[in-house]
């Protein structure tokens, strides 16, 4: 026996969002719909449709009705509708919608959400007029492609399922390959926790119940993803804010270490104008030099950042990084001294 309508289970937020957007499209038609018609159309109770009406009204879209026998037929108010719809837009909404609609986005073009967004995009484009649309289109030119398209570069069948899996706390089976020539595909069962961008790529922070620790996976290296029916439990020690402040960049697995660096007057202005880590403290020194101190997990990322400043920086602490820089300097001297000697011998042979 099927369930009675009064016992229908509530649907998820994503399903409700799709339904509300589709109802907006329905109510934009000249004839409109009655509540009973919409309830039958979406297999919902009339009370649910009435609640959806309140959500639609809260966005600023006013509804009007007229009598059709015993029922009221509802539609979006025609007068000033375009003005009200236009007022709901800002740049971030418009760009997000455009990116969602572009080929290769994370929303499959055969999904109900894509069709609804496409219809909504057309209505928005018509409502704001060609001048305003051109103005918003021009804003895209202010962003570099690699930054603006970070999420777009992920596989279409990966990003959206992961968002839903994080929301529903569902386990996933992923096939992953590390970025090494000799690397092979590895299969992991993980609980997705957070999505974040770093250096132009999208990463998934997840927990491996089998390994008992957290992992960071580059979504572009995922070979396959399957959302399982089983649920997982977020580890008690999972603290995204703490992990965010622990890492200097992407890695947060090393011991917490205090770093002190001295930058000369040529580099100091660049150091002063930015926040390199949330814990940083700056101290002005004689000769316009500046000292920076911060505490984060020890990793190669800090060493790489220090090396990028060349002879404009001196490591004061920790001693381990100071020794590492000294060894690197000696290796560079030996490396290029040998190359210079070989080049000199070749030049001498040519001269003779």
């Amino acid at each position: 026996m099927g369930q009675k309508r009064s016992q229908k289970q509530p649907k998820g937020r994503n399903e409700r969002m799709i339904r509300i957007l589709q109802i907006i499209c329905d109510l934009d038609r000249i004839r409109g719909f009655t509540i009973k018609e919409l309830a039958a159309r979406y297999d919902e109770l009339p009370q649910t449709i009435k609640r959806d009406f309140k959500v639609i009204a809260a966005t600023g879209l006013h509804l009007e009705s007229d009598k059709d026998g015993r029922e009221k037929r509802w539609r979006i108010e025609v007068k000033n509708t375009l003005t009200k719809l236009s007022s709901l837009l800002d740049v971030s909404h418009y760009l997000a919608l455009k990116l969602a609609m572009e080929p290769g986005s994370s929303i499959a073009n055969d999904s109900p959400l894509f069709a609804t967004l496409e219809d909504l995009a057309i209505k928005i484009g018509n409502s704001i007029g060609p001048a305003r649309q051109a103005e918003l289109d021009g804003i895209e030119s202010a962003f570099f492609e690699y930054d603006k398209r970070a999420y777009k570069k992920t596989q279409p069948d990966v990003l959206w399922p992961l968002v839903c899996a994080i929301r529903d706390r569902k386990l996933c089976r992923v096939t992953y390959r590390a970025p090494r020539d000799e690397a092979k595909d590895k299969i992991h069962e993980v609980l997705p926790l957070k999505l974040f961008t770093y250096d132009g790529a999208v990463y998934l922070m997840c927990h491996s119940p089998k390994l008992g620790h957290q992992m960071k996976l580059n979504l572009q290296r995922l070979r396959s993803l399957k959302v399982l029916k089983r649920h997982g439990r977020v580890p008690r020690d999972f603290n995204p804010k703490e992990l965010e402040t622990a890492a200097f960049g992407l890695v947060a697995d090393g011991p917490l270490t205090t770093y002190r660096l001295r930058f000369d007057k040529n580099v100091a202005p660049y150091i002063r104008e930015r926040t390199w880590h949330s814990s940083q403290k700056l101290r002005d020194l004689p000769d316009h030099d500046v000292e920076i101190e911060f505490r984060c997990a020890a990793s190669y990322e800090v060493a790489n950042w220090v090396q990028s400043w060349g002879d404009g920086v001196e490591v004061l602490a920790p001693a381990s990084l100071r020794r590492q820089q000294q060894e690197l300097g000696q290796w560079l001297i030996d490396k290029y001294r040998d190359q210079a000697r070989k080049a000199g011998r070749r030049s001498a042979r040519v001269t003779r």
Side-chain angles (χ1 to χ4, degrees), residues 196-207:
F196 64 98
T197 59
Y198 176 73
D199 200 21
V202 183
Y203 287 83
L204 169 69
M205 182 179 290
C206 55
H207 174 71

Side-chain angles (χ1 to χ4, degrees), residues 99-109 111 114 151-161 163:
L99 289 176
M101 298 300 304
E102 288 184 0
S105 76
S106 59
I107 302 176
N109 59 11
S111 70
F114 185 92
Y151 278 98
K152 185 187 170 186
K153 290 179 181 177
T154 60
Q155 301 174 44
D157 297 331
V158 168
L159 183 59
W160 188 254
V163 170

Side-chain angles (χ1 to χ4, degrees), residues 5 8 11 19 23 26-27 33-53 71-72 74:
R5 292 185 63 81
K8 283 178 65 64
K11 296 183 179 179
R19 185 183 67 246
I23 289 175
D26 292 336
L27 297 179
F33 281 85
T34 68
I35 289 178
K36 285 185 178 180
E37 287 172 342
L38 290 172
R41 185 178 178 85
Y42 295 103
D43 191 26
E44 294 289 353
L45 298 170
Q47 295 91 322
T48 301
I49 301 300
K50 289 179 181 179
R51 286 195 292 269
D52 291 344
F53 276 18
E71 298 290 331
K72 286 185 178 180
W74 295 88

Side-chain angles (χ1 to χ4, degrees), residues 86-97:
S86 176
S87 68
L88 298 176
L89 292 173
D90 64 22
V91 172
S92 61
H93 294 149
Y94 189 77
L95 287 179
L97 183 61

